[in-house]
Short mmCIF file of all heavy atoms in Angstrom, two decimals:
data_model
loop_
_atom_site.label_atom_id
_atom_site.label_comp_id
_atom_site.label_asym_id
_atom_site.label_seq_id
_atom_site.Cartn_x
_atom_site.Cartn_y
_atom_site.Cartn_z
N ASP A 596 0.85 -1.18 0.00
CA ASP A 596 0.00 0.00 0.00
C ASP A 596 0.89 1.24 0.00
O ASP A 596 2.10 1.15 0.22
CB ASP A 596 -0.91 0.00 1.23
CG ASP A 596 -2.08 0.97 1.11
OD1 ASP A 596 -2.27 1.58 0.04
OD2 ASP A 596 -2.82 1.12 2.10
N LEU A 597 0.29 2.37 -0.23
CA LEU A 597 0.95 3.66 -0.15
C LEU A 597 0.31 4.40 1.02
O LEU A 597 -0.87 4.74 0.97
CB LEU A 597 0.76 4.45 -1.45
CG LEU A 597 1.40 5.83 -1.51
CD1 LEU A 597 2.93 5.73 -1.44
CD2 LEU A 597 0.99 6.54 -2.79
N ARG A 598 1.07 4.59 2.09
CA ARG A 598 0.55 5.25 3.29
C ARG A 598 1.52 6.34 3.72
O ARG A 598 2.72 6.11 3.82
CB ARG A 598 0.33 4.25 4.43
CG ARG A 598 -0.74 3.22 4.06
CD ARG A 598 -1.19 2.42 5.22
NE ARG A 598 -2.22 1.46 4.81
CZ ARG A 598 -2.77 0.61 5.63
NH1 ARG A 598 -2.44 0.58 6.90
NH2 ARG A 598 -3.70 -0.23 5.19
N GLU A 599 0.96 7.51 3.96
CA GLU A 599 1.75 8.68 4.37
C GLU A 599 2.91 8.92 3.42
O GLU A 599 4.02 9.24 3.83
CB GLU A 599 2.23 8.52 5.81
CG GLU A 599 1.09 8.43 6.81
CD GLU A 599 1.55 8.19 8.23
OE1 GLU A 599 2.75 8.34 8.52
OE2 GLU A 599 0.69 7.86 9.06
N GLY A 600 2.66 8.73 2.11
CA GLY A 600 3.67 9.00 1.09
C GLY A 600 4.74 7.95 0.94
O GLY A 600 5.68 8.14 0.18
N ARG A 601 4.61 6.81 1.62
CA ARG A 601 5.63 5.75 1.55
C ARG A 601 4.99 4.43 1.13
O ARG A 601 3.88 4.11 1.53
CB ARG A 601 6.26 5.53 2.93
CG ARG A 601 7.11 6.68 3.40
CD ARG A 601 7.84 6.30 4.64
NE ARG A 601 8.44 4.98 4.44
CZ ARG A 601 9.39 4.49 5.19
NH1 ARG A 601 9.84 5.16 6.19
NH2 ARG A 601 9.88 3.29 4.96
N PHE A 602 5.75 3.66 0.33
CA PHE A 602 5.30 2.31 0.00
C PHE A 602 5.61 1.39 1.18
O PHE A 602 6.74 1.34 1.66
CB PHE A 602 6.01 1.81 -1.27
CG PHE A 602 5.53 2.49 -2.51
CD1 PHE A 602 6.30 3.47 -3.12
CD2 PHE A 602 4.30 2.18 -3.06
CE1 PHE A 602 5.85 4.11 -4.26
CE2 PHE A 602 3.84 2.82 -4.20
CZ PHE A 602 4.62 3.79 -4.79
N VAL A 603 4.60 0.70 1.65
CA VAL A 603 4.71 -0.17 2.81
C VAL A 603 4.03 -1.50 2.49
O VAL A 603 3.32 -1.64 1.50
CB VAL A 603 4.05 0.45 4.06
CG1 VAL A 603 4.73 1.75 4.46
CG2 VAL A 603 2.55 0.67 3.84
N SER A 604 4.22 -2.46 3.37
CA SER A 604 3.48 -3.72 3.30
C SER A 604 2.60 -3.79 4.54
O SER A 604 3.00 -3.37 5.63
CB SER A 604 4.42 -4.91 3.25
OG SER A 604 3.67 -6.10 3.07
N VAL A 605 1.41 -4.32 4.37
CA VAL A 605 0.45 -4.44 5.46
C VAL A 605 0.23 -5.93 5.71
O VAL A 605 -0.06 -6.69 4.79
CB VAL A 605 -0.89 -3.76 5.10
CG1 VAL A 605 -1.90 -3.93 6.21
CG2 VAL A 605 -0.66 -2.30 4.77
N VAL A 606 0.38 -6.34 6.97
CA VAL A 606 0.01 -7.70 7.38
C VAL A 606 -1.37 -7.59 7.99
O VAL A 606 -1.58 -6.82 8.94
CB VAL A 606 1.02 -8.28 8.39
CG1 VAL A 606 0.59 -9.67 8.85
CG2 VAL A 606 2.43 -8.33 7.77
N HIS A 607 -2.33 -8.31 7.44
CA HIS A 607 -3.75 -8.16 7.80
C HIS A 607 -4.32 -9.50 8.25
O HIS A 607 -4.18 -10.50 7.55
CB HIS A 607 -4.51 -7.64 6.59
CG HIS A 607 -5.94 -7.33 6.84
ND1 HIS A 607 -6.38 -6.05 7.07
CD2 HIS A 607 -7.03 -8.12 6.91
CE1 HIS A 607 -7.69 -6.07 7.27
NE2 HIS A 607 -8.11 -7.33 7.16
N ASN A 608 -4.97 -9.51 9.41
CA ASN A 608 -5.67 -10.70 9.91
C ASN A 608 -7.06 -10.70 9.28
O ASN A 608 -7.85 -9.78 9.51
CB ASN A 608 -5.76 -10.68 11.43
CG ASN A 608 -6.38 -11.93 11.99
OD1 ASN A 608 -7.48 -12.33 11.61
ND2 ASN A 608 -5.69 -12.54 12.94
N VAL A 609 -7.39 -11.74 8.50
CA VAL A 609 -8.65 -11.76 7.75
C VAL A 609 -9.87 -11.96 8.64
O VAL A 609 -11.00 -11.72 8.21
CB VAL A 609 -8.65 -12.82 6.62
CG1 VAL A 609 -7.50 -12.55 5.65
CG2 VAL A 609 -8.56 -14.23 7.18
N PHE A 610 -9.68 -12.38 9.89
CA PHE A 610 -10.80 -12.59 10.80
C PHE A 610 -11.04 -11.41 11.74
O PHE A 610 -12.18 -11.02 11.97
CB PHE A 610 -10.61 -13.87 11.62
CG PHE A 610 -10.57 -15.10 10.75
CD1 PHE A 610 -9.39 -15.79 10.56
CD2 PHE A 610 -11.71 -15.56 10.10
CE1 PHE A 610 -9.35 -16.91 9.74
CE2 PHE A 610 -11.68 -16.68 9.29
CZ PHE A 610 -10.49 -17.35 9.11
N THR A 611 -9.95 -10.82 12.25
CA THR A 611 -10.10 -9.73 13.22
C THR A 611 -9.98 -8.35 12.59
O THR A 611 -10.39 -7.36 13.19
CB THR A 611 -9.03 -9.83 14.33
OG1 THR A 611 -7.73 -9.59 13.76
CG2 THR A 611 -9.07 -11.19 15.01
N GLY A 612 -9.38 -8.26 11.40
CA GLY A 612 -9.14 -6.97 10.76
C GLY A 612 -7.92 -6.25 11.30
O GLY A 612 -7.56 -5.18 10.82
N GLU A 613 -7.24 -6.84 12.28
CA GLU A 613 -6.04 -6.23 12.85
C GLU A 613 -4.96 -6.12 11.78
O GLU A 613 -4.75 -7.05 10.99
CB GLU A 613 -5.53 -7.07 14.02
CG GLU A 613 -4.31 -6.50 14.68
CD GLU A 613 -3.82 -7.37 15.84
OE1 GLU A 613 -4.57 -8.24 16.30
OE2 GLU A 613 -2.68 -7.16 16.26
N GLU A 614 -4.29 -4.96 11.72
CA GLU A 614 -3.24 -4.73 10.73
C GLU A 614 -1.94 -4.34 11.42
O GLU A 614 -1.94 -3.67 12.44
CB GLU A 614 -3.63 -3.60 9.77
CG GLU A 614 -4.72 -3.95 8.81
CD GLU A 614 -4.97 -2.88 7.78
OE1 GLU A 614 -4.54 -1.72 7.96
OE2 GLU A 614 -5.59 -3.21 6.76
N ARG A 615 -0.85 -4.76 10.80
CA ARG A 615 0.49 -4.34 11.22
C ARG A 615 1.17 -3.82 9.97
O ARG A 615 1.20 -4.49 8.93
CB ARG A 615 1.27 -5.53 11.78
CG ARG A 615 2.66 -5.16 12.27
CD ARG A 615 3.29 -6.29 13.08
NE ARG A 615 3.22 -7.57 12.40
CZ ARG A 615 4.29 -8.21 11.90
NH1 ARG A 615 5.49 -7.69 12.00
NH2 ARG A 615 4.14 -9.37 11.30
N VAL A 616 1.69 -2.60 10.01
CA VAL A 616 2.32 -1.97 8.84
C VAL A 616 3.83 -2.14 8.95
O VAL A 616 4.43 -1.78 9.96
CB VAL A 616 1.94 -0.47 8.75
CG1 VAL A 616 2.64 0.19 7.58
CG2 VAL A 616 0.43 -0.31 8.64
N LEU A 617 4.41 -2.70 7.89
CA LEU A 617 5.86 -2.86 7.81
C LEU A 617 6.43 -1.67 7.06
O LEU A 617 5.78 -1.12 6.17
CB LEU A 617 6.21 -4.16 7.08
CG LEU A 617 5.58 -5.43 7.65
CD1 LEU A 617 5.97 -6.64 6.80
CD2 LEU A 617 5.99 -5.64 9.09
N GLY A 618 7.64 -1.28 7.37
CA GLY A 618 8.25 -0.06 6.84
C GLY A 618 8.61 -0.07 5.37
O GLY A 618 8.98 0.96 4.82
N ARG A 619 8.50 -1.22 4.72
CA ARG A 619 8.84 -1.32 3.30
C ARG A 619 7.82 -2.20 2.60
O ARG A 619 7.27 -3.11 3.18
CB ARG A 619 10.22 -1.92 3.09
CG ARG A 619 11.33 -1.04 3.59
CD ARG A 619 12.67 -1.63 3.14
NE ARG A 619 13.76 -0.74 3.49
CZ ARG A 619 14.23 0.19 2.69
NH1 ARG A 619 13.72 0.39 1.51
NH2 ARG A 619 15.23 0.95 3.07
N ALA A 620 7.62 -1.94 1.32
CA ALA A 620 6.77 -2.81 0.50
C ALA A 620 7.52 -4.11 0.25
O ALA A 620 8.74 -4.12 0.15
CB ALA A 620 6.44 -2.12 -0.82
N LEU A 621 6.80 -5.22 0.14
CA LEU A 621 7.41 -6.52 -0.09
C LEU A 621 7.19 -6.99 -1.51
O LEU A 621 6.12 -6.81 -2.08
CB LEU A 621 6.82 -7.56 0.87
CG LEU A 621 7.13 -7.35 2.35
CD1 LEU A 621 6.33 -8.33 3.20
CD2 LEU A 621 8.62 -7.50 2.61
N SER A 622 8.22 -7.61 -2.08
CA SER A 622 8.07 -8.21 -3.39
C SER A 622 8.01 -9.73 -3.29
O SER A 622 7.57 -10.39 -4.21
CB SER A 622 9.22 -7.79 -4.32
OG SER A 622 10.45 -8.20 -3.77
N GLY A 623 8.44 -10.27 -2.18
CA GLY A 623 8.39 -11.72 -1.96
C GLY A 623 8.51 -12.02 -0.49
O GLY A 623 9.10 -11.25 0.27
N VAL A 624 7.93 -13.15 -0.09
CA VAL A 624 7.99 -13.60 1.30
C VAL A 624 8.38 -15.07 1.29
O VAL A 624 7.93 -15.84 0.44
CB VAL A 624 6.62 -13.42 1.99
CG1 VAL A 624 6.65 -13.92 3.43
CG2 VAL A 624 6.19 -11.96 1.96
N SER A 625 9.23 -15.47 2.25
CA SER A 625 9.65 -16.86 2.34
C SER A 625 8.45 -17.76 2.61
O SER A 625 7.41 -17.31 3.10
CB SER A 625 10.70 -17.03 3.45
OG SER A 625 10.15 -16.72 4.71
N ALA A 626 8.60 -19.04 2.30
CA ALA A 626 7.50 -20.01 2.45
C ALA A 626 6.98 -20.07 3.88
O ALA A 626 5.79 -20.29 4.11
CB ALA A 626 7.95 -21.39 1.99
N ASP A 627 7.85 -19.85 4.87
CA ASP A 627 7.39 -19.89 6.27
C ASP A 627 6.83 -18.55 6.74
O ASP A 627 6.35 -18.43 7.86
CB ASP A 627 8.50 -20.36 7.21
CG ASP A 627 9.69 -19.40 7.27
OD1 ASP A 627 9.64 -18.30 6.68
OD2 ASP A 627 10.69 -19.76 7.94
N GLY A 628 6.87 -17.53 5.90
CA GLY A 628 6.30 -16.23 6.23
C GLY A 628 7.12 -15.39 7.19
O GLY A 628 6.67 -14.37 7.67
N ARG A 629 8.35 -15.78 7.44
CA ARG A 629 9.17 -15.09 8.43
C ARG A 629 10.15 -14.08 7.83
O ARG A 629 10.66 -13.23 8.53
CB ARG A 629 9.91 -16.09 9.28
CG ARG A 629 8.95 -17.00 10.08
CD ARG A 629 9.68 -18.10 10.83
NE ARG A 629 10.75 -17.59 11.64
CZ ARG A 629 10.65 -17.33 12.95
NH1 ARG A 629 9.51 -17.52 13.55
NH2 ARG A 629 11.68 -16.87 13.63
N LYS A 630 10.45 -14.20 6.53
CA LYS A 630 11.41 -13.30 5.88
C LYS A 630 10.79 -12.75 4.61
O LYS A 630 10.04 -13.44 3.94
CB LYS A 630 12.70 -14.04 5.53
CG LYS A 630 13.45 -14.56 6.74
CD LYS A 630 14.65 -15.33 6.32
CE LYS A 630 15.32 -15.95 7.55
NZ LYS A 630 16.34 -16.91 7.17
#
């Protein structure tokens, strides 16, 4: 997403709607979701 003028990545819980914003946009994530 683009938030406050910066490209970021959002981690979103599909059941609760809780979001955590990461400081950079992601182009890929490891299979375990940790990197």
Side-chain angles (χ1 to χ4, degrees):
D596 196 6
L597 180 64
R598 296 192 179 179
E599 298 177 13
R601 292 188 47 163
F602 288 104
V603 298
S604 185
V605 178
V606 177
H607 185 99
N608 184 307
V609 301
F610 297 109
T611 67
E613 181 181 345
E614 289 187 343
R615 181 169 50 111
V616 177
L617 305 177
R619 293 189 175 268
L621 294 172
S622 60
V624 178
S625 63
D627 65 6
R629 298 174 52 96
K630 297 177 185 169

